[in-house]
Amino acid sequence: MDEVKIDDTVKAFYKTGTYIGKVKEDRGSKFLVEVLGVHTHPAQGDLHNPGQTEDVFFHQRKALAHHEKANVDKQAVHPYDDEIPDYMKSLEDSVQKYKEKLERRDTEFNQKALTRLQDLEKQYFK
């Protein structure tokens, strides 16, 4: 595994999203990562009960903002050698990919997740 250092460009998995960013600090078991792009939009719904809609709190999760910093477990941070994407374009692309995935199967969970995602689109791209 390649060693990640401060100022390296990385792909970082945080909660349920994946981001492109720069390592700002080494904090022991975590890296402080500045978000520069969105690779995979965070999942919607209850993470502890995936696919369920009954008797659960169905969360709406926003992507981390441009230049927001997150403490990410070191094992979830990997070198990224491609070009850093434009933040807004990468956010738009990640939302579109997630919508397409949800639209492939017509389930109650996917419908609810799609509704949350469409609401986020209005907030992101007003």
Side-chain angles (χ1 to χ4, degrees), residues 71-115:
N71 285 305
V72 183
D73 289 331
K74 283 185 174 177
Q75 66 264 26
V77 177
H78 306 282
Y80 183 78
D81 295 325
D82 291 337
E83 188 174 320
I84 297 172
D86 173 76
Y87 178 83
M88 287 306 289
K89 175 80 170 101
S90 68
L91 177 61
E92 191 177 328
D93 290 348
S94 70
V95 167
Q96 187 59 37
K97 282 182 201 164
Y98 190 28
K99 280 173 52 178
E100 289 169 4
K101 178 183 176 185
L102 292 171
E103 289 169 344
R104 281 187 212 126
R105 287 192 34 222
D106 188 19
T107 65
E108 185 179 356
F109 178 87
N110 284 6
Q111 289 172 0
K112 228 172 178 178
L114 194 54
T115 299

Side-chain angles (χ1 to χ4, degrees), residues 16-124:
T16 65
T18 307
Y19 302 90
I20 307 304
K22 287 238 184 236
V23 174
K24 295 311 217 178
E25 292 178 22
D26 184 332
R27 295 187 167 179
S29 66
K30 298 181 184 287
F31 284 122
L32 182 67
V33 177
E34 179 182 8
V35 173
L36 301 174
V38 181
H39 184 270
T40 306
H41 193 279
Q44 306 302 297
D46 187 331
L47 301 181
H48 303 289
N49 298 288
Q52 306 227 355
T53 58
E54 302 270 330
D55 301 322
V56 297
F57 183 74
F58 203 92
H59 298 269
Q60 179 183 63
R61 287 188 185 73
K62 285 185 173 185
L64 295 177
H66 193 215
H67 298 295
E68 185 171 350
K69 293 171 184 74
N71 285 305
V72 183
D73 289 331
K74 283 185 174 177
Q75 66 264 26
V77 177
H78 306 282
Y80 183 78
D81 295 325
D82 291 337
E83 188 174 320
I84 297 172
D86 173 76
Y87 178 83
M88 287 306 289
K89 175 80 170 101
S90 68
L91 177 61
E92 191 177 328
D93 290 348
S94 70
V95 167
Q96 187 59 37
K97 282 182 201 164
Y98 190 28
K99 280 173 52 178
E100 289 169 4
K101 178 183 176 185
L102 292 171
E103 289 169 344
R104 281 187 212 126
R105 287 192 34 222
D106 188 19
T107 65
E108 185 179 356
F109 178 87
N110 284 6
Q111 289 172 0
K112 228 172 178 178
L114 194 54
T115 299
R116 297 291 191 282
L117 195 57
Q118 289 166 334
D119 182 53
L120 284 173
E121 272 187 300
K122 292 174 190 163
Q123 295 174 47
Y124 292 150

